[in-house]
Amino acid sequence: MRMIPSAAALAVALSLCPAPAFAEEQPQRADGSTITVTGVRDVEKEARDFVNALTPAAIDGNIARFEENVCPRVIGAAPGQAAIMEQRLRTVAKAVGLHLGKDRCTPNALMIITTDKRALIEALQKRGDYFGELITPSQIRRLARDPGPSAFWRLEGFVTAFGVPLRPNDGEPFDYQQNNSRASRISTGTRRAVDGAILIVEARALDGLTTIQLADYGAMRLYGSADPAELTGSAPTILRILTTEMGAEVPITMTRWDLSFLRGLYASSENLRAPGQRGEIRRRLLKELSRGEESRQ
């Protein structure tokens, strides 16, 4: 399994492009307004589009997720604010069914706030194996030069149907290990798993946001590998907070859609291929949305 390099090595890279403290926490709206689902006439279609957009995977593969303990860490914020965000990330992880590492665990879900995303990515590329072998140099360059306010990537490995990590045998160029489980049209004998995830956010996109909003955005990206650029529908989600125009209404926390998506992802059957996983995630999402509507009646 591939791990994120040590915190000491990361600190050296970060010193090349220091990040500012996160903006002060903003008070919630005085009127206590909350985000509600509006303008969604076909919830089943919206749920299908939402899940499909956030779960890219080969049809004969699986939707990768964390399978070992997750250990969130926030770097680049003031210590007190980083602590708030890390606690929120741990709270969300527990709520969606992830197993948490102990207090001094090695970080494998890392959110970094910086003034210069491109400079940081280029520094990380020079100083350690932060990208794994699944991202080529040209892909890293595109990641660094993308004009968006964030960058995300993950490190992956393979596990057997029983969750045992696959490791390369001596002299073998690929991950291989004796595996007696059988694949089928709907299930896999081995599956991809997320070993680590890194999210970089530029400070220029954080004006007016709270630490809770950023932490919840980070949870969707780190735990769900969700890409806001893939969203096409109108489902309410925390994923749009970095690109919504200043002054426009945004969720003050993770929405029911977001939380239900993550719960569905981590409750879905491990060895199903991607289409089967998506079906389970969608059914969980619709069930929880329906339950929420009933509770308001």
Side-chain angles (χ1 to χ4, degrees), residues 61-89:
N62 68 295
I63 301 167
R65 60 191 180 186
F66 279 100
E67 300 207 17
E68 296 187 348
N69 290 352
V70 67
C71 184
R73 183 68 54 84
V74 177
I75 296 176
Q81 292 166 332
I84 292 172
M85 286 188 280
E86 287 176 6
Q87 182 56 52
R88 179 68 173 187
L89 285 166

PDB file of all heavy atoms in Angstrom, residues 61-89:
ATOM      1  N   GLY A  61     -14.426  -2.018 -13.300  1.00  0.00           N
ATOM      2  CA  GLY A  61     -13.677  -1.801 -12.074  1.00  0.00           C
ATOM      3  C   GLY A  61     -14.604  -1.460 -10.921  1.00  0.00           C
ATOM      4  O   GLY A  61     -15.801  -1.709 -10.963  1.00  0.00           O
ATOM      5  N   ASN A  62     -14.038  -0.881  -9.869  1.00  0.00           N
ATOM      6  CA  ASN A  62     -14.825  -0.513  -8.708  1.00  0.00           C
ATOM      7  C   ASN A  62     -14.584   0.949  -8.368  1.00  0.00           C
ATOM      8  O   ASN A  62     -13.658   1.576  -8.881  1.00  0.00           O
ATOM      9  CB  ASN A  62     -14.457  -1.385  -7.502  1.00  0.00           C
ATOM     10  CG  ASN A  62     -13.061  -1.111  -6.996  1.00  0.00           C
ATOM     11  OD1 ASN A  62     -12.085  -1.368  -7.706  1.00  0.00           O
ATOM     12  ND2 ASN A  62     -12.926  -0.583  -5.786  1.00  0.00           N
ATOM     13  N   ILE A  63     -15.437   1.492  -7.514  1.00  0.00           N
ATOM     14  CA  ILE A  63     -15.272   2.866  -7.016  1.00  0.00           C
ATOM     15  C   ILE A  63     -14.369   2.799  -5.791  1.00  0.00           C
ATOM     16  O   ILE A  63     -14.767   2.285  -4.742  1.00  0.00           O
ATOM     17  CB  ILE A  63     -16.629   3.488  -6.674  1.00  0.00           C
ATOM     18  CG1 ILE A  63     -17.533   3.497  -7.911  1.00  0.00           C
ATOM     19  CG2 ILE A  63     -16.456   4.898  -6.139  1.00  0.00           C
ATOM     20  CD1 ILE A  63     -18.983   3.808  -7.606  1.00  0.00           C
ATOM     21  N   ALA A  64     -13.150   3.288  -5.932  1.00  0.00           N
ATOM     22  CA  ALA A  64     -12.168   3.168  -4.848  1.00  0.00           C
ATOM     23  C   ALA A  64     -12.548   4.059  -3.670  1.00  0.00           C
ATOM     24  O   ALA A  64     -13.091   5.151  -3.830  1.00  0.00           O
ATOM     25  CB  ALA A  64     -10.781   3.521  -5.366  1.00  0.00           C
ATOM     26  N   ARG A  65     -12.214   3.580  -2.468  1.00  0.00           N
ATOM     27  CA  ARG A  65     -12.474   4.337  -1.239  1.00  0.00           C
ATOM     28  C   ARG A  65     -11.455   3.911  -0.195  1.00  0.00           C
ATOM     29  O   ARG A  65     -10.730   2.935  -0.364  1.00  0.00           O
ATOM     30  CB  ARG A  65     -13.893   4.043  -0.749  1.00  0.00           C
ATOM     31  CG  ARG A  65     -14.118   2.574  -0.452  1.00  0.00           C
ATOM     32  CD  ARG A  65     -15.573   2.248  -0.234  1.00  0.00           C
ATOM     33  NE  ARG A  65     -15.750   0.827   0.037  1.00  0.00           N
ATOM     34  CZ  ARG A  65     -16.921   0.231   0.150  1.00  0.00           C
ATOM     35  NH1 ARG A  65     -18.034   0.920   0.020  1.00  0.00           N
ATOM     36  NH2 ARG A  65     -17.004  -1.066   0.398  1.00  0.00           N
ATOM     37  N   PHE A  66     -11.401   4.644   0.898  1.00  0.00           N
ATOM     38  CA  PHE A  66     -10.522   4.248   2.000  1.00  0.00           C
ATOM     39  C   PHE A  66     -11.028   2.928   2.590  1.00  0.00           C
ATOM     40  O   PHE A  66     -12.214   2.773   2.864  1.00  0.00           O
ATOM     41  CB  PHE A  66     -10.524   5.312   3.097  1.00  0.00           C
ATOM     42  CG  PHE A  66      -9.631   6.491   2.827  1.00  0.00           C
ATOM     43  CD1 PHE A  66     -10.152   7.678   2.336  1.00  0.00           C
ATOM     44  CD2 PHE A  66      -8.263   6.409   3.054  1.00  0.00           C
ATOM     45  CE1 PHE A  66      -9.326   8.769   2.091  1.00  0.00           C
ATOM     46  CE2 PHE A  66      -7.433   7.494   2.816  1.00  0.00           C
ATOM     47  CZ  PHE A  66      -7.968   8.679   2.334  1.00  0.00           C
ATOM     48  N   GLU A  67     -10.096   1.999   2.814  1.00  0.00           N
ATOM     49  CA  GLU A  67     -10.466   0.736   3.446  1.00  0.00           C
ATOM     50  C   GLU A  67      -9.710   0.517   4.751  1.00  0.00           C
ATOM     51  O   GLU A  67     -10.043  -0.374   5.525  1.00  0.00           O
ATOM     52  CB  GLU A  67     -10.228  -0.422   2.477  1.00  0.00           C
ATOM     53  CG  GLU A  67     -11.055  -0.279   1.197  1.00  0.00           C
ATOM     54  CD  GLU A  67     -11.378  -1.597   0.549  1.00  0.00           C
ATOM     55  OE1 GLU A  67     -11.256  -2.647   1.205  1.00  0.00           O
ATOM     56  OE2 GLU A  67     -11.767  -1.591  -0.627  1.00  0.00           O
ATOM     57  N   GLU A  68      -8.692   1.329   5.000  1.00  0.00           N
ATOM     58  CA  GLU A  68      -7.982   1.278   6.266  1.00  0.00           C
ATOM     59  C   GLU A  68      -8.326   2.526   7.070  1.00  0.00           C
ATOM     60  O   GLU A  68      -9.073   3.392   6.615  1.00  0.00           O
ATOM     61  CB  GLU A  68      -6.476   1.164   6.018  1.00  0.00           C
ATOM     62  CG  GLU A  68      -6.090  -0.134   5.312  1.00  0.00           C
ATOM     63  CD  GLU A  68      -4.587  -0.312   5.213  1.00  0.00           C
ATOM     64  OE1 GLU A  68      -3.855   0.665   5.490  1.00  0.00           O
ATOM     65  OE2 GLU A  68      -4.151  -1.424   4.873  1.00  0.00           O
ATOM     66  N   ASN A  69      -7.781   2.635   8.260  1.00  0.00           N
ATOM     67  CA  ASN A  69      -8.058   3.798   9.107  1.00  0.00           C
ATOM     68  C   ASN A  69      -7.712   5.091   8.384  1.00  0.00           C
ATOM     69  O   ASN A  69      -6.685   5.183   7.707  1.00  0.00           O
ATOM     70  CB  ASN A  69      -7.249   3.715  10.400  1.00  0.00           C
ATOM     71  CG  ASN A  69      -7.736   2.617  11.318  1.00  0.00           C
ATOM     72  OD1 ASN A  69      -8.773   1.999  11.077  1.00  0.00           O
ATOM     73  ND2 ASN A  69      -6.996   2.353  12.375  1.00  0.00           N
ATOM     74  N   VAL A  70      -8.572   6.086   8.535  1.00  0.00           N
ATOM     75  CA  VAL A  70      -8.309   7.389   7.932  1.00  0.00           C
ATOM     76  C   VAL A  70      -7.779   8.332   8.998  1.00  0.00           C
ATOM     77  O   VAL A  70      -8.203   8.287  10.163  1.00  0.00           O
ATOM     78  CB  VAL A  70      -9.587   7.960   7.280  1.00  0.00           C
ATOM     79  CG1 VAL A  70     -10.642   8.310   8.323  1.00  0.00           C
ATOM     80  CG2 VAL A  70      -9.265   9.191   6.446  1.00  0.00           C
ATOM     81  N   CYS A  71      -6.799   9.152   8.603  1.00  0.00           N
ATOM     82  CA  CYS A  71      -6.163  10.076   9.546  1.00  0.00           C
ATOM     83  C   CYS A  71      -6.086  11.459   8.897  1.00  0.00           C
ATOM     84  O   CYS A  71      -5.167  11.747   8.128  1.00  0.00           O
ATOM     85  CB  CYS A  71      -4.763   9.576   9.901  1.00  0.00           C
ATOM     86  SG  CYS A  71      -3.927  10.589  11.150  1.00  0.00           S
ATOM     87  N   PRO A  72      -7.068  12.334   9.143  1.00  0.00           N
ATOM     88  CA  PRO A  72      -7.094  13.653   8.505  1.00  0.00           C
ATOM     89  C   PRO A  72      -6.092  14.625   9.145  1.00  0.00           C
ATOM     90  O   PRO A  72      -5.852  14.578  10.354  1.00  0.00           O
ATOM     91  CB  PRO A  72      -8.525  14.115   8.721  1.00  0.00           C
ATOM     92  CG  PRO A  72      -8.968  13.414   9.968  1.00  0.00           C
ATOM     93  CD  PRO A  72      -8.271  12.093   9.967  1.00  0.00           C
ATOM     94  N   ARG A  73      -5.547  15.513   8.329  1.00  0.00           N
ATOM     95  CA  ARG A  73      -4.631  16.554   8.812  1.00  0.00           C
ATOM     96  C   ARG A  73      -4.831  17.808   7.964  1.00  0.00           C
ATOM     97  O   ARG A  73      -4.993  17.720   6.739  1.00  0.00           O
ATOM     98  CB  ARG A  73      -3.187  16.077   8.698  1.00  0.00           C
ATOM     99  CG  ARG A  73      -2.150  17.066   9.239  1.00  0.00           C
ATOM    100  CD  ARG A  73      -2.223  17.223  10.742  1.00  0.00           C
ATOM    101  NE  ARG A  73      -2.137  15.948  11.432  1.00  0.00           N
ATOM    102  CZ  ARG A  73      -0.996  15.318  11.732  1.00  0.00           C
ATOM    103  NH1 ARG A  73       0.161  15.817  11.359  1.00  0.00           N
ATOM    104  NH2 ARG A  73      -1.031  14.175  12.395  1.00  0.00           N
ATOM    105  N   VAL A  74      -4.831  18.976   8.620  1.00  0.00           N
ATOM    106  CA  VAL A  74      -4.961  20.262   7.937  1.00  0.00           C
ATOM    107  C   VAL A  74      -3.686  21.053   8.150  1.00  0.00           C
ATOM    108  O   VAL A  74      -3.227  21.216   9.281  1.00  0.00           O
ATOM    109  CB  VAL A  74      -6.178  21.053   8.469  1.00  0.00           C
ATOM    110  CG1 VAL A  74      -6.247  22.426   7.801  1.00  0.00           C
ATOM    111  CG2 VAL A  74      -7.466  20.277   8.232  1.00  0.00           C
ATOM    112  N   ILE A  75      -3.121  21.550   7.064  1.00  0.00           N
ATOM    113  CA  ILE A  75      -1.869  22.312   7.100  1.00  0.00           C
ATOM    114  C   ILE A  75      -2.086  23.645   6.398  1.00  0.00           C
ATOM    115  O   ILE A  75      -2.785  23.718   5.381  1.00  0.00           O
ATOM    116  CB  ILE A  75      -0.725  21.539   6.415  1.00  0.00           C
ATOM    117  CG1 ILE A  75      -0.431  20.256   7.179  1.00  0.00           C
ATOM    118  CG2 ILE A  75       0.532  22.390   6.305  1.00  0.00           C
ATOM    119  CD1 ILE A  75       0.609  19.379   6.522  1.00  0.00           C
ATOM    120  N   GLY A  76      -1.504  24.717   6.945  1.00  0.00           N
ATOM    121  CA  GLY A  76      -1.585  26.024   6.314  1.00  0.00           C
ATOM    122  C   GLY A  76      -2.580  26.954   6.967  1.00  0.00           C
ATOM    123  O   GLY A  76      -2.689  28.119   6.584  1.00  0.00           O
ATOM    124  N   ALA A  77      -3.323  26.478   7.960  1.00  0.00           N
ATOM    125  CA  ALA A  77      -4.261  27.313   8.711  1.00  0.00           C
ATOM    126  C   ALA A  77      -3.656  27.628  10.078  1.00  0.00           C
ATOM    127  O   ALA A  77      -2.732  26.953  10.535  1.00  0.00           O
ATOM    128  CB  ALA A  77      -5.594  26.590   8.879  1.00  0.00           C
ATOM    129  N   ALA A  78      -4.178  28.654  10.727  1.00  0.00           N
ATOM    130  CA  ALA A  78      -3.770  28.943  12.096  1.00  0.00           C
ATOM    131  C   ALA A  78      -4.043  27.719  12.962  1.00  0.00           C
ATOM    132  O   ALA A  78      -5.027  27.007  12.730  1.00  0.00           O
ATOM    133  CB  ALA A  78      -4.531  30.154  12.627  1.00  0.00           C
ATOM    134  N   PRO A  79      -3.190  27.446  13.964  1.00  0.00           N
ATOM    135  CA  PRO A  79      -3.324  26.209  14.744  1.00  0.00           C
ATOM    136  C   PRO A  79      -4.728  25.950  15.286  1.00  0.00           C
ATOM    137  O   PRO A  79      -5.241  24.828  15.190  1.00  0.00           O
ATOM    138  CB  PRO A  79      -2.310  26.403  15.878  1.00  0.00           C
ATOM    139  CG  PRO A  79      -1.271  27.290  15.288  1.00  0.00           C
ATOM    140  CD  PRO A  79      -2.014  28.241  14.386  1.00  0.00           C
ATOM    141  N   GLY A  80      -5.363  26.976  15.854  1.00  0.00           N
ATOM    142  CA  GLY A  80      -6.699  26.771  16.401  1.00  0.00           C
ATOM    143  C   GLY A  80      -7.719  26.418  15.339  1.00  0.00           C
ATOM    144  O   GLY A  80      -8.584  25.559  15.547  1.00  0.00           O
ATOM    145  N   GLN A  81      -7.626  27.059  14.184  1.00  0.00           N
ATOM    146  CA  GLN A  81      -8.562  26.783  13.102  1.00  0.00           C
ATOM    147  C   GLN A  81      -8.290  25.423  12.472  1.00  0.00           C
ATOM    148  O   GLN A  81      -9.221  24.709  12.097  1.00  0.00           O
ATOM    149  CB  GLN A  81      -8.477  27.910  12.072  1.00  0.00           C
ATOM    150  CG  GLN A  81      -9.001  29.228  12.620  1.00  0.00           C
ATOM    151  CD  GLN A  81      -8.619  30.414  11.754  1.00  0.00           C
ATOM    152  OE1 GLN A  81      -7.603  30.413  11.061  1.00  0.00           O
ATOM    153  NE2 GLN A  81      -9.432  31.457  11.804  1.00  0.00           N
ATOM    154  N   ALA A  82      -7.015  25.065  12.358  1.00  0.00           N
ATOM    155  CA  ALA A  82      -6.678  23.736  11.838  1.00  0.00           C
ATOM    156  C   ALA A  82      -7.250  22.652  12.746  1.00  0.00           C
ATOM    157  O   ALA A  82      -7.763  21.636  12.271  1.00  0.00           O
ATOM    158  CB  ALA A  82      -5.163  23.589  11.720  1.00  0.00           C
ATOM    159  N   ALA A  83      -7.179  22.878  14.061  1.00  0.00           N
ATOM    160  CA  ALA A  83      -7.711  21.902  15.016  1.00  0.00           C
ATOM    161  C   ALA A  83      -9.226  21.737  14.850  1.00  0.00           C
ATOM    162  O   ALA A  83      -9.764  20.628  14.921  1.00  0.00           O
ATOM    163  CB  ALA A  83      -7.371  22.313  16.446  1.00  0.00           C
ATOM    164  N   ILE A  84      -9.927  22.863  14.627  1.00  0.00           N
ATOM    165  CA  ILE A  84     -11.379  22.801  14.420  1.00  0.00           C
ATOM    166  C   ILE A  84     -11.697  21.991  13.173  1.00  0.00           C
ATOM    167  O   ILE A  84     -12.589  21.132  13.173  1.00  0.00           O
ATOM    168  CB  ILE A  84     -11.967  24.224  14.301  1.00  0.00           C
ATOM    169  CG1 ILE A  84     -11.874  24.948  15.648  1.00  0.00           C
ATOM    170  CG2 ILE A  84     -13.420  24.170  13.817  1.00  0.00           C
ATOM    171  CD1 ILE A  84     -12.251  26.422  15.571  1.00  0.00           C
ATOM    172  N   MET A  85     -10.967  22.242  12.096  1.00  0.00           N
ATOM    173  CA  MET A  85     -11.234  21.541  10.845  1.00  0.00           C
ATOM    174  C   MET A  85     -10.895  20.061  10.949  1.00  0.00           C
ATOM    175  O   MET A  85     -11.621  19.206  10.430  1.00  0.00           O
ATOM    176  CB  MET A  85     -10.471  22.206   9.705  1.00  0.00           C
ATOM    177  CG  MET A  85     -11.087  23.542   9.287  1.00  0.00           C
ATOM    178  SD  MET A  85     -10.353  24.244   7.783  1.00  0.00           S
ATOM    179  CE  MET A  85      -8.869  24.979   8.465  1.00  0.00           C
ATOM    180  N   GLU A  86      -9.797  19.745  11.625  1.00  0.00           N
ATOM    181  CA  GLU A  86      -9.439  18.333  11.780  1.00  0.00           C
ATOM    182  C   GLU A  86     -10.482  17.591  12.598  1.00  0.00           C
ATOM    183  O   GLU A  86     -10.847  16.452  12.285  1.00  0.00           O
ATOM    184  CB  GLU A  86      -8.061  18.219  12.438  1.00  0.00           C
ATOM    185  CG  GLU A  86      -6.927  18.597  11.496  1.00  0.00           C
ATOM    186  CD  GLU A  86      -5.569  18.576  12.186  1.00  0.00           C
ATOM    187  OE1 GLU A  86      -5.505  18.151  13.363  1.00  0.00           O
ATOM    188  OE2 GLU A  86      -4.580  18.983  11.553  1.00  0.00           O
ATOM    189  N   GLN A  87     -10.996  18.231  13.650  1.00  0.00           N
ATOM    190  CA  GLN A  87     -12.044  17.591  14.453  1.00  0.00           C
ATOM    191  C   GLN A  87     -13.308  17.394  13.634  1.00  0.00           C
ATOM    192  O   GLN A  87     -13.973  16.354  13.730  1.00  0.00           O
ATOM    193  CB  GLN A  87     -12.340  18.438  15.692  1.00  0.00           C
ATOM    194  CG  GLN A  87     -13.389  17.822  16.619  1.00  0.00           C
ATOM    195  CD  GLN A  87     -13.018  16.427  17.068  1.00  0.00           C
ATOM    196  OE1 GLN A  87     -11.911  16.196  17.561  1.00  0.00           O
ATOM    197  NE2 GLN A  87     -13.924  15.464  16.903  1.00  0.00           N
ATOM    198  N   ARG A  88     -13.640  18.368  12.801  1.00  0.00           N
ATOM    199  CA  ARG A  88     -14.815  18.232  11.941  1.00  0.00           C
ATOM    200  C   ARG A  88     -14.622  17.096  10.939  1.00  0.00           C
ATOM    201  O   ARG A  88     -15.541  16.312  10.684  1.00  0.00           O
ATOM    202  CB  ARG A  88     -15.059  19.548  11.192  1.00  0.00           C
ATOM    203  CG  ARG A  88     -16.253  19.522  10.237  1.00  0.00           C
ATOM    204  CD  ARG A  88     -17.571  19.405  10.979  1.00  0.00           C
ATOM    205  NE  ARG A  88     -18.704  19.542  10.055  1.00  0.00           N
ATOM    206  CZ  ARG A  88     -19.972  19.612  10.437  1.00  0.00           C
ATOM    207  NH1 ARG A  88     -20.286  19.545  11.725  1.00  0.00           N
ATOM    208  NH2 ARG A  88     -20.934  19.740   9.544  1.00  0.00           N
ATOM    209  N   LEU A  89     -13.431  16.986  10.360  1.00  0.00           N
ATOM    210  CA  LEU A  89     -13.147  15.902   9.429  1.00  0.00           C
ATOM    211  C   LEU A  89     -13.265  14.547  10.110  1.00  0.00           C
ATOM    212  O   LEU A  89     -13.739  13.576   9.519  1.00  0.00           O
ATOM    213  CB  LEU A  89     -11.747  16.074   8.830  1.00  0.00           C
ATOM    214  CG  LEU A  89     -11.602  17.166   7.767  1.00  0.00           C
ATOM    215  CD1 LEU A  89     -10.135  17.470   7.505  1.00  0.00           C
ATOM    216  CD2 LEU A  89     -12.300  16.764   6.471  1.00  0.00           C
TER     217      LEU A  89
END
